Amino acid sequence: MSTPAEKIVREIRLNPIVPSESVLVATARSLRPKKAEEPAPRDTRAHVDTCPFCTGNEHMTPPVIAAYPGEKNWEIRIVENLYPVLGDDRQNPNLTFGLQQTIDGYGRHEVMIDHNKHGIAVHEMNEVHLALLFGAYRDRMEQLYKSNKRLRYVLVFKNFGPAAGASIAHTHSQLIATPVIPDNVQAEVMNSRAFYHKNHRCIFCSLIDEALTFEATIYDRESGEIHRKINVGQYVIERGKKFIAIKPFASRYEWEVHILPLQHQGDFLRISKDDLADLAGVMRRTMARLDAVLGGAQYNYFLHSLPHDVECTDCEASYHWHLEITPRTSIPTGFELGSGLFVNTVAPEAAAEKLRAVQLD
Ligand SMILES: [Zn+2]
Ligand SMILES: [Zn+2]
Ligand SMILES: [Zn+2]
């Protein structure tokens, strides 16, 4: 008899926070429409003489904005992006015609060199360093918000490995500050606010509670067969004192994992020093599990936090910041681009079980 996790799943799962971001979970092999080609291996060298982000080549980067712990002995270094997608130098006012509306490309685009070792992966960094890294994200986000009132969102993200679109092999993150709130963040903020007004609860807190305590068996009305069994902790990948890593029930990507603070917190900028240490541990262990299961994970991750905008001033109780990690194991097809409906070929329950089964040292 097959366990529920091995059963063929073919269903459209609704994202509880943003229903329009739903996913077709289709585990039948014949439905597998896409398999990314074997990704180019990532660069694991510690130092590369010609790399502008390696130590000794500091003169090759644009001017430094900040360095941790200091400029001479840096472990993390923030610099301007050499090819920014947004800039603060635009002189010309917008010209709009009919429906051809534009808003100017005002914003900031910065690069954070995450480590002085060229090809180090997140799970290979020690937890003291990871706490420093997430503290650097927080500091720089705060400074950017303060630097200009027009900036309403600072997106922190990381592309790791060629399969995830990283153009420079040296491990780095990026910060993009924009005068508009990204659509997917806006949808999360607005939908969670509506949920809060109706239920007087944060929907993310409710999801964490469900992941931790929910237990149910759903039977078929006619045959009495078990439709779905939900076990305690079925979606939990890792947990610390203050953070939890969850495999979302409606994951759009096969190995997608979200990390959230266990206690409600709307704005990542409020994270404390203790929190950073715990987050570092949960992050390192989660990434180690992903790397072990995938045999070298190439991924994107990004932070979703409360936008700094007048529209969101009442959303601190209803929004809950989180980190979304999306390893790249397949490429979107025409079906996905055309329908907006993502296909996930690994049942999230089975993925969670595999990730939990990894023995960490
Ligand atoms: Zn390098
Ligand atoms: Zn919450
Ligand atoms: Zn999100």
Side-chain angles (χ1 to χ4, degrees), residues 188 304 319 322 324:
E188 284 183 358
H304 275 169
Y319 194 62
H322 53 275
E324 299 193 24

Side-chain angles (χ1 to χ4, degrees), residues 21 184-185 188 204 258 302-304 319-320 322-324:
E21 285 182 11
N184 51 356
V185 177
E188 284 183 358
F204 297 91
H258 295 186
F302 47 88
L303 256 178
H304 275 169
Y319 194 62
H320 194 125
H322 53 275
L323 183 80
E324 299 193 24

Side-chain angles (χ1 to χ4, degrees), residues 52-54 61 74-79 111-116 129 133 170-173:
F53 292 175
C54 272
T61 65
W74 69 269
E75 289 173 24
I76 295 169
R77 201 163 173 262
I78 308 173
V79 299
V111 173
M112 190 181 287
I113 304 163
D114 293 339
H115 202 287
N116 55 23
H129 185 91
L133 179 65
H170 194 118
T171 185
H172 67 282
S173 306

